[in-house]
Amino acid sequence: MKFTLSWLKEHLETTASVQEIVDAMTMAGLEVEHVENPAEKLAAFTVARIVSAARHPNADKLQVCQVETKDGLKEIVCGAPNARAGLVTAYAPIGAYVPGLDVTLEARPVRGVVSNGMLCSGAELEVTADADGILELDPSAPVGAPVASVLGVDDAVIDFEVTPNRPDWLGVEGIARDLAAAGVGTFKPRPAVTIKGAFESPLKVATDDASACPVFAARLIRGVKNGPSPEWLQRRLRAIGLRPRNILVDVTNYFCFDRARPLHVYDAAKVSGVVRARLGAPGETLKALDGKTYEIGAEMCVIADDRGVLGLGGVMGGESSGSSEETTDVLLESAYFDPLRTFQTGRATGIQSDAKYRFERGVDTGAVISGLDAATQMILDLCGGEASALILAGEVPAPPKAVTFDPARVKALAGIDVPGAESKRILEALGFAVSGKGAPWTVTPPSWRRDVEGAADLVEEVARIHGFDKLPAAEPPRAAGLRAPPAGAGESRLRLARRALASAGYLEAVTWSFCDRAAAQLFGGGADQLLLANPIAADLDCMRPSAIPNLARAAQRNLDRGHGDVRLFEAGPVYRSDADTGQERVVAGVLQPRPKRHWQGAPETDLFAAKRDLLLALDVMGAPVASLQQGPAPHAWLHPGRSGVVKLGNKAIGWFGELHPRALAALGVDGPVYAFEAMVDAIPAPRAKPTRARPPLERAAFMPVSRDFAFVTDEKVAAADLVRAAYGAEKALIVDVALFDVYRGAGVPEGKKSLAVEVTLQPKDKTLTDAEIDAVAAKIVAAVGKATGGVLRG
Amino acid sequence: MDGKPQSPATADVEALERDLLARLDAAADEAAIEALRVEALGKQGSVSALMKSLGGMSPAERQVMGPRLNGLKDKLGEAIVAKKASLAEAALEARLAAERVDVTLPPQRVRIGAIHPISAVMEEVSAIFGQMGFALEEGPDIETDFHNFTALNFPPRHPARDMHDTFFLQADEKGERKVLRTHTSPVQVRTMLKQKPPIRMVCMGRTFRCDSDATHTPMFHQIEGLVIDETTTMADLKGVLMAFIKAYFEVDSVEVRFRPHHFPFTEPSAEMDVRCDRSVPGQLKIGEGDDWLEILGCGMVHPNVLRHCGLDPERYQGYAFGMGIDRLAMLKYGAPDLRDFFGSDVRWLQHYGFSPYLLPGLAAGLSGGIG
């Protein structure tokens, strides 16, 4: 919302500076975004007088003028047809920036004659739309005077953000009222206007739907002479960025911004029968004032006559019934349109208009008639003619309900001490009626404050105007200590995994929660319920089932920039369904190995690096890594022979593997890429312990002993099965089974392999004898043989 | 020298000694020393033979020659030990010299990754609020319209909802569509619905708005705070937020300003500005200065929100606040462009990321560095 200082002063008696007003607005909740003083923009332009004008020697349409300026007599080339001796106009010296042309002037020859400056049009200075000739200023204006003050455009323009609860701030009058309450000046109540109807209007209005349009008021004004608005009105509209058109249109715009009261004028000669607010009918269309044709929906409130739709109520009028310079009889409409319906009509049509912006926030019901009459008076004043008696359909909605208010609530809720009398003064200054001798009071909001529904709203009014700067700060509480997070172990697990993986050389990434549907489907997601109805981009249209697609593509982007050998991880959400329980935490990593050569040979980054890091993440997050089962990964996005899952019982808590060539191709990523994902929420919760104390450490008194075994097994035997079988052979003694060699070749038959393990035994009560160790060895050989068919390598 | 041993002359002994010591000195290796030892001190050795000849000497001769020969034997023995040690020393020196490597060659480096600034800031923020007795709550990213809007006093189809640029999911068979939460405020609702006051919680997480430009990304992060009891006022809110700003920005003092604002879910509502200094280009100093920096939105929980969550607004009251985690990270750590937070550029991650070894502590301060 933009307004000018002079416009504000119509409603506010004040000597405050622009800065003081801006500060007061900020502290009253009117967030100022921009202040512009056109005088600053026009500072370079001064009044000058043309002494003589002669035809340019080399161009018919140009003149060479001798001009009296603040810098002395200057020779200036000018193409304006109205340049003539004696004309007082605007002069721009060399070096000046001309806003309308977006150029900075340089002294350069124009067809052989050097122009020492420029004489400017209103359009070039952006003060009027007139580009046909140079400005014709008051002949008595002294040479050298600032053009801005001669033109009267030295008026600061303040632009601020209107919060949706305060539609009254969409009128300058509403702004003035809050500023007066805040002590910036005195509010000037507008004089009451009474229109004596000169005749009964033959044109009638009606409203068919009391919820869509509860009241429809109008006056017929006959015999008006439309034309350009007076300069003060044009200047005022132009200053806030509106283009003046003609008196009738300009007056409606003026009231829209002065009192937040949208109005509409119809050319009475172009309407037929009763002008009616009603709901739209299927098949109806409207050619609106913006020149576009809109299809009318059944939920839209339209204004129609006997022949059809004239406009979208509260949104935009139609071309067929619009006023023009030739209009002599007008119907001036002032109505109340339902905010929600207006909002939805705006949404459905995509129309943005100043009227819609106000109606959808709720206009002042108290100004339906008074605004109509004030505007009628202005039209009569500017265009002549005579106005009809009030034409009224429906009823003005009831004013807001009174609120019971104990002034002690200000201190109790906002923490600010405001004396009761001051609270009362503030509320009354804002237009509230306060009654009741003792507490609680009965406070009745004015018709333009439908946002006020309860005591909390009144506390805000009092605190805001009294000043949030008077808000004390209470001593913050101190916890006895950090509390354990009651949200569950999830977040602290992610924290641990982050530290482990970052320590292992991974960079943590944070990627979108969405990806494209094709990638989602590739990774086991992409269900309809997880599709976005309004994605920000076509390739971000689906909630991700895995963090891997985004991470793999991120790795590729880095590779494409010349930064390969990327290790990235993300600790964040994936989405299985749109239910509360459908969101799960994962810790996911990708490795795109492009190792730099090293004189000692580059360390291998392969599938087992991904497996190692998955186990590392699971381990720090509290998963019992030693007792995990392994199995093939059933995931289509993984290389079937180079991937696996790790499980607790039947529950998968992670997978690792090389991405499938098809998945890589679909993602546009160069392989090989190794990846893993740990399902954080599938890790069992740690058992609640009564104390933080740990169980006593048991330290065996005897040296551990170890024995090596090499088994020849079928090629298809899983190493993990052999290791588990060895482990289980003598649980009381075996503490470690380390697989240290996989061998194929001489001495091992075709289709077989040799797996060598070092088994560590930890005696508990006494040193083991050779016979006892041999007995355990025999059990190991038997157990491995039973589980895998493996035999000791001879 | 066959037959009976002759009594040696002193001169002969001296000649033998000179000869033996000279040859020992010249011995090149352990084997040569050993050979010399056997030749001189072995059973058939030259010195041993002379020792044997002592028995045939007259007492007067023995008096002279006995100590002389024993001295020769001891001297030779010591010289042999010393020679062996010196040879071993030389051998070791030679081996070490041969083992020399170019120690300036680069080792295999252990790569250390980095923690994303958003994660690091979340840890800092949760540590600060934890010390003020706040508990950590959480809620889903995919929300119902009720939790994200209606319960928070956004009337259905109200223009205020438009300002949130909401992402919608596909409508279900009943025509209802879930949303991606536009703020972390629905976690307020979830907490109040499951827990009776007193409530003192924060929550942090991903939030989504259908908006993308230099300062907006479709996904960003927020922290939300909520306190509900029977007496908490806006002055308590201000105290907590000032303490937070001081702790987070690691400054001793901070001047803040509450400005009235509007949020549907708080009444009164405010935005909080913090004093800052922008006088040095590219350097933002928080806490003092001539300028204001808008930092968060807050207010007293709207009675309608309490009602929607089953709490009696005549009895309970409290405050809520929310701020952008990403923005906090940008302000404190100077990352200029929000979009980079989600770009996964390894150079950015390495530069703005945090060492996994940094942990808040008394010795390390909040952001865990050294000095």
Side-chain angles (χ1 to χ4, degrees):
Chain A
M1 169 76 187
K2 278 185 184 173
F3 65 95
T4 65
L5 184 60
S6 67
W7 197 338
L8 178 71
K9 286 184 176 178
E10 294 262 300
H11 298 284
L12 186 71
E13 189 77 57
T14 184
T15 54
S17 68
V18 171
Q19 192 55 50
E20 285 166 337
I21 287 168
V22 164
D23 290 346
M25 287 175 68
T26 302
M27 288 314 292
L30 298 87
E31 194 175 346
V32 175
E33 284 172 341
H34 191 62
V35 179
E36 187 184 290
N37 195 339
E40 287 165 17
K41 196 172 74 180
L42 299 179
F45 302 94
T46 52
V47 173
R49 194 171 59 85
I50 301 178
V51 178
S52 66
R55 165 87 60 87
H56 190 290
N58 306 321
D60 282 352
K61 289 190 173 165
L62 295 179
Q63 297 187 82
V64 178
C65 304
Q66 303 302 319
V67 184
E68 186 191 345
T69 75
K70 71 173 171 55
D71 303 324
L73 201 64
K74 295 275 179 186
E75 186 170 82
I76 296 174
V77 179
C78 182
N82 63 335
R84 60 187 184 271
L87 182 68
V88 173
T89 187
Y91 157 71
I94 297 303
Y97 173 76
V98 182
L101 300 176
D102 190 25
V103 295
T104 300
L105 295 182
E106 292 168 36
R108 56 181 181 85
V110 181
R111 298 231 178 168
V113 178
V114 171
S115 186
N116 299 295
M118 181 177 171
L119 303 178
C120 303
S121 71
E124 281 155 353
L125 266 51
E126 292 186 334
V127 292
T128 67
D130 188 2
D132 295 338
I134 55 176
L135 280 169
E136 303 212 4
L137 300 174
D138 180 350
S140 65
V143 166
V147 168
S149 59
V150 174
L151 286 172
V153 293
D154 51 350
D155 196 7
V157 181
I158 299 172
D159 191 3
F160 76 106
E161 189 200 331
V162 178
T163 52
N165 60 324
R166 291 302 301 272
D168 59 315
W169 285 344
L170 293 168
V172 179
E173 184 185 46
I175 301 163
R177 191 182 292 107
D178 269 49
L179 285 173
V184 175
T186 311
F187 183 65
K188 295 201 274 196
R190 59 183 180 241
V193 173
T194 27
I195 302 289
K196 284 208 181 81
F199 60 95
E200 277 300 319
S201 168
L203 203 55
K204 297 297 176 201
V205 300
T207 172
D208 290 358
D209 190 308
S211 75
C213 176
V215 61
F216 188 165
R219 282 186 195 271
L220 181 65
I221 309 172
R222 285 201 297 225
V224 301
K225 186 176 180 328
N226 200 7
S229 293
E231 183 54 31
W232 71 266
L233 180 52
Q234 291 200 29
R235 190 181 296 159
R236 198 157 269 184
L237 295 177
R238 218 180 278 123
I240 62 167
L242 294 179
R243 192 152 70 87
R245 290 166 196 273
N246 57 54
I247 299 173
L248 294 172
V249 172
D250 293 352
V251 166
T252 62
N253 279 334
Y254 178 74
F255 278 90
C256 191
F257 283 86
D258 188 62
R259 302 196 192 166
R261 167 31 61 187
L263 302 159
H264 187 67
V265 284
Y266 301 88
D267 187 334
K270 297 178 189 163
V271 300
S272 150
V274 175
V275 177
R276 184 182 299 277
R278 61 162 169 84
L279 295 184
E284 287 184 317
T285 59
L286 169 72
K287 185 159 193 209
L289 280 171
D290 61 5
K292 294 182 193 156
T293 300
Y294 296 94
E295 292 196 10
I296 303 299
E299 293 301 308
M300 297 178 185
C301 178
V302 300
I303 309 297
D305 67 0
D306 294 356
R307 287 185 298 226
V309 176
L310 302 174
L312 280 166
V315 176
M316 191 171 274
E319 213 174 54
S320 69
S321 58
S323 61
S324 67
E325 301 273 330
E326 290 75 43
T327 299
T328 56
D329 295 354
V330 296
L331 184 72
L332 180 63
E333 165 204 295
S334 176
Y336 184 89
F337 295 103
D338 176 58
L340 274 188
R341 196 178 292 274
T342 310
F343 172 62
Q344 284 166 315
T345 301
R347 257 233 166 129
T349 57
I351 296 176
Q352 296 295 340
S353 70
D354 294 321
K356 185 214 85 158
Y357 197 73
R358 284 159 179 74
F359 279 117
E360 71 187 8
R361 282 162 175 75
V363 298
D364 177 7
T365 50
V368 174
I369 310 290
S370 64
L372 173 66
D373 286 353
T376 301
Q377 188 61 55
M378 190 182 275
I379 290 173
L380 293 175
D381 291 348
L382 298 178
C383 303
E386 56 176 9
S388 77
L390 182 67
I391 322 165
L392 183 67
E395 270 177 48
V396 174
K401 286 199 189 71
V403 174
T404 303
F405 180 58
D406 180 350
R409 285 300 289 159
V410 177
K411 170 80 173 162
L413 194 62
I416 309 181
D417 258 320
V418 184
E422 171 68 357
S423 295
K424 188 160 185 278
R425 181 199 71 77
I426 289 168
L427 291 173
E428 287 176 344
L430 292 171
F432 293 81
V434 180
S435 64
K437 290 225 156 54
W441 302 341
T442 298
V443 178
T444 309
S447 56
W448 59 85
R449 291 301 305 273
R450 289 184 183 272
D451 59 304
V452 172
E453 294 171 337
D457 301 300
L458 296 175
V459 169
E460 175 170 79
E461 292 308 297
V462 171
R464 161 177 89 83
I465 298 296
H466 183 68
F468 275 3
D469 53 339
K470 301 182 184 74
L471 178 65
E475 192 63 26
R478 284 282 150 203
L482 289 176
R483 286 173 60 183
E491 286 308 309
S492 49
R493 278 184 172 143
L494 293 188
R495 186 169 162 269
L496 294 167
R498 279 187 188 108
R499 297 203 176 276
L501 290 175
S503 305
Y506 285 76
L507 293 167
E508 185 186 10
V510 175
T511 72
W512 306 132
S513 281
F514 12 76
C515 60
D516 62 288
R517 189 181 199 181
Q521 284 168 333
L522 195 62
F523 280 75
D528 286 349
Q529 58 176 206
L530 290 170
L531 283 184
L532 293 178
N534 56 336
I536 193 138
D539 59 352
L540 297 174
D541 63 343
C542 187
M543 300 309 287
R544 66 185 192 186
S546 161
I548 298 299
N550 288 349
L551 287 175
R553 282 171 167 153
Q556 183 66 34
R557 285 199 302 275
N558 281 293
L559 181 64
D560 292 344
R561 283 191 290 258
H563 296 270
D565 206 26
V566 167
R567 294 179 209 170
L568 290 174
F569 81 96
E570 182 166 7
V574 297
Y575 309 87
R576 312 273 181 230
S577 78
D578 65 355
D580 286 3
T581 51
Q583 181 174 331
E584 291 175 17
R585 291 182 186 84
V586 297
V587 171
V590 297
L591 299 121
Q592 193 181 34
R594 296 290 186 280
K596 285 228 164 68
R597 286 165 299 173
H598 191 271
W599 62 276
Q600 287 184 307
E604 192 88 2
T605 300
D606 61 8
L607 175 67
F608 293 97
K611 183 176 182 183
R612 171 197 67 203
D613 298 331
L614 168 66
L615 294 175
L616 168 69
L618 287 171
D619 196 1
V620 297
M621 289 192 287
V625 169
S627 48
L628 293 179
Q629 275 107 63
Q630 302 186 40
H635 305 314
W637 62 88
L638 293 174
H639 186 308
R642 294 186 179 178
S643 59
V645 292
V646 290
K647 294 188 280 192
L648 264 179
N650 283 329
K651 204 175 195 180
I653 63 167
W655 59 258
F656 64 93
E658 183 177 330
L659 291 188
H660 197 291
R662 272 199 300 270
L664 289 171
L667 294 174
V669 172
D670 300 339
V673 169
Y674 306 102
F676 64 86
E677 204 160 60
M679 285 50 187
V680 179
D681 299 322
I683 301 169
R687 213 174 292 136
K689 294 182 194 123
T691 73
R692 293 281 179 206
R694 298 169 191 205
L697 171 65
E698 285 174 23
R699 264 184 290 221
F702 304 95
M703 285 279 287
V705 291
S706 64
R707 287 289 181 275
D708 290 353
F709 302 85
F711 293 99
V712 175
T713 71
D714 282 347
E715 189 62 68
K716 67 177 193 301
V717 166
D721 292 341
L722 186 145
V723 168
R724 185 159 359 94
Y727 244 119
E730 181 58 75
K731 284 187 177 147
L733 285 173
I734 297 174
V735 292
D736 188 36
V737 179
L739 191 142
F740 66 87
D741 189 39
V742 181
Y743 174 77
R744 298 172 185 88
V748 174
E750 190 73 23
K752 303 255 182 190
K753 62 185 174 185
S754 163
L755 298 173
V757 294
E758 178 183 355
V759 178
T760 305
L761 309 178
Q762 177 61 61
K764 298 275 180 336
D765 321 313
K766 63 181 189 64
T767 307
L768 295 177
T769 64
D770 283 348
E772 285 165 334
I773 294 171
D774 289 346
V776 174
K779 282 187 185 174
I780 290 169
V781 172
V784 168
K786 187 165 175 237
T788 68
V791 295
L792 267 189
R793 193 171 155 196
Chain B
M1 270 207 277
D2 49 354
K4 218 173 145 222
Q6 300 289 310
S7 212
T10 308
D12 294 342
V13 173
E14 275 169 15
L16 178 62
E17 181 179 317
R18 270 198 306 278
D19 175 55
L20 286 173
L21 288 176
R23 284 168 57 206
L24 178 64
D25 194 43
D29 54 23
E30 186 112 359
I33 297 170
E34 189 57 20
L36 191 69
R37 188 190 66 78
V38 171
E39 185 195 321
L41 301 176
K43 277 183 184 161
Q44 309 296 325
S46 50
V47 177
S48 306
L50 285 175
M51 293 292 283
K52 280 178 197 156
S53 72
L54 282 175
M57 288 181 194
S58 68
E61 272 180 328
R62 205 158 46 229
Q63 195 102 43
V64 176
M65 288 307 288
R68 181 69 186 83
L69 288 175
N70 272 319
L72 171 61
K73 184 182 163 195
D74 290 350
K75 190 173 182 182
L76 195 58
E78 282 163 21
I80 286 171
V81 169
K83 178 68 184 178
K84 278 187 176 171
S86 125
L87 268 185
E89 185 69 17
L92 182 63
E93 287 298 331
R95 197 187 96 211
L96 294 181
E99 284 172 0
R100 174 183 301 275
V101 296
D102 178 1
V103 297
T104 66
L105 283 168
Q108 302 269 19
R109 291 190 60 182
V110 173
R111 277 164 70 166
I112 298 176
I115 288 179
H116 198 283
I118 290 173
S119 301
V121 167
M122 283 189 177
E123 284 190 23
E124 292 184 24
V125 167
S126 59
I128 296 167
F129 283 108
Q131 281 162 359
M132 292 194 278
F134 287 77
L136 189 63
E137 294 288 342
E138 57 190 20
D141 298 350
I142 299 175
E143 266 296 3
T144 62
D145 181 86
F146 173 78
H147 288 101
N148 196 74
F149 288 122
T150 306
L152 290 162
N153 199 33
F154 286 79
R157 298 178 299 280
H158 191 270
R161 294 187 178 207
D162 251 20
M163 294 173 71
H164 273 224
D165 297 315
T166 312
F167 278 115
F168 294 96
L169 281 90
Q170 301 285 353
D172 65 14
E173 55 279 3
K174 282 179 283 177
E176 281 170 20
R177 37 184 204 173
K178 295 210 168 175
V179 302
L180 297 189
R181 65 179 180 189
T182 57
H183 45 184
T184 40
S185 306
V187 184
Q188 286 183 29
V189 176
R190 289 177 175 272
T191 306
M192 284 188 272
L193 284 171
K194 72 171 187 194
Q195 183 190 336
K196 284 286 162 212
I199 293 170
R200 191 169 195 81
M201 71 92 174
V202 288
C203 87
M204 293 179 284
R206 295 181 175 212
T207 47
F208 305 86
R209 293 192 195 182
C210 194
D211 199 357
S212 184
D213 59 38
T215 54
H216 297 89
T217 46
M219 182 182 96
F220 54 105
H221 296 76
Q222 279 191 347
I223 171 170
E224 186 86 6
L226 175 75
V227 170
I228 301 289
D229 56 25
E230 297 180 14
T231 56
T232 284
T233 74
M234 223 162 162
D236 297 304
L237 168 64
K238 186 174 178 182
V240 160
L241 291 177
M242 282 177 72
F244 167 74
I245 295 293
K246 269 197 273 190
Y248 176 71
F249 287 106
E250 302 178 57
V251 292
D252 295 330
S253 68
V254 68
E255 191 188 342
V256 305
R257 165 174 95 168
F258 273 48
R259 258 186 306 106
H261 199 70
H262 170 72
F263 304 108
F265 39 96
T266 48
E267 190 79 32
S269 303
E271 282 187 334
M272 192 175 91
D273 298 340
V274 176
R275 271 286 183 212
C276 70
D277 183 351
R278 292 185 173 98
S279 57
V280 183
Q283 257 184 53
L284 180 69
K285 219 179 104 200
I286 303 277
E288 292 161 343
D290 298 332
D291 234 333
W292 291 107
L293 175 74
E294 178 196 323
I295 205 140
L296 59 86
C298 61
M300 302 302 291
V301 177
H302 197 290
N304 288 348
V305 175
L306 295 172
R307 247 175 240 125
H308 279 301
C309 298
L311 298 179
D312 177 5
E314 297 295 318
R315 178 172 175 197
Y316 295 114
Q317 64 181 48
Y319 62 74
F321 59 84
M323 57 191 136
I325 297 275
D326 328 67
R327 184 137 183 283
L328 285 174
M330 291 167 83
L331 290 174
K332 182 169 179 182
Y333 294 109
D337 191 333
L338 178 63
R339 288 170 295 195
D340 283 337
F341 280 72
F342 309 106
S344 305
D345 183 327
V346 293
R347 294 164 296 182
W348 190 94
L349 296 173
Q350 196 75 257
H351 182 78
Y352 289 103
F354 286 73
S355 158
Y357 305 110
L358 296 181
L359 284 167
L362 267 186
L366 184 70
S367 29
I370 304 167

